[in-house]
Amino acid sequence: MDNTEYWKFVKDCKLQKDRKAMPSVRVEIIFQQCNQDLSKEGKDRLESDAGEMDASEFVEGLVRLAAYRYSKGSLSERLDKMMDEEVLPNACSVNTD
């Protein structure tokens, strides 16, 4: 999943319906953090960014989005809430507007 597809996912799932709770800058930072190999340092870390998320990086992105979006509950509860309230009802739904 590249950056454009990631943003389409965020918009389709309406994860930014409250921009104060999930600003665009934070969404972009989460994408970048998921793409970097944090075991490397300096220039090597920057070069490790492939520009696309693989499956494990996408899951990491979901967890990071949920952790930032919601402030109450354990990490698993936050992820469950995001999946139940925003992702599952909105993902792959047809836009009738």
Side-chain angles (χ1 to χ4, degrees), residues 47-87:
E47 291 174 355
S48 70
D49 181 359
E52 291 193 5
M53 289 180 159
D54 60 23
S56 63
E57 291 169 342
F58 178 67
V59 172
E60 178 186 347
L62 290 175
V63 173
R64 287 178 183 261
L65 286 168
Y68 191 85
R69 176 77 171 84
Y70 301 102
S71 58
K72 295 181 181 175
S74 68
L75 196 53
S76 64
E77 290 170 341
R78 293 178 196 188
L79 182 60
D80 285 343
K81 183 174 182 171
M82 185 180 80
M83 294 299 289
D84 291 340
E85 294 179 5
E86 299 182 27
V87 176

Side-chain angles (χ1 to χ4, degrees), residues 27-38:
V27 174
E28 187 62 36
I29 288 171
I30 289 171
F31 179 82
Q32 291 172 3
Q33 288 175 330
C34 293
N35 270 320
Q36 291 181 354
D37 184 353
L38 299 178

Side-chain angles (χ1 to χ4, degrees), residues 7-24:
W7 273 102
K8 184 171 178 2
F9 168 78
V10 169
K11 289 178 182 178
D12 285 350
C13 294
K14 300 177 183 160
L15 295 174
Q16 279 194 299
K17 63 184 171 192
D18 180 6
R19 297 272 178 152
K20 289 183 181 181
M22 182 63 69
S24 296

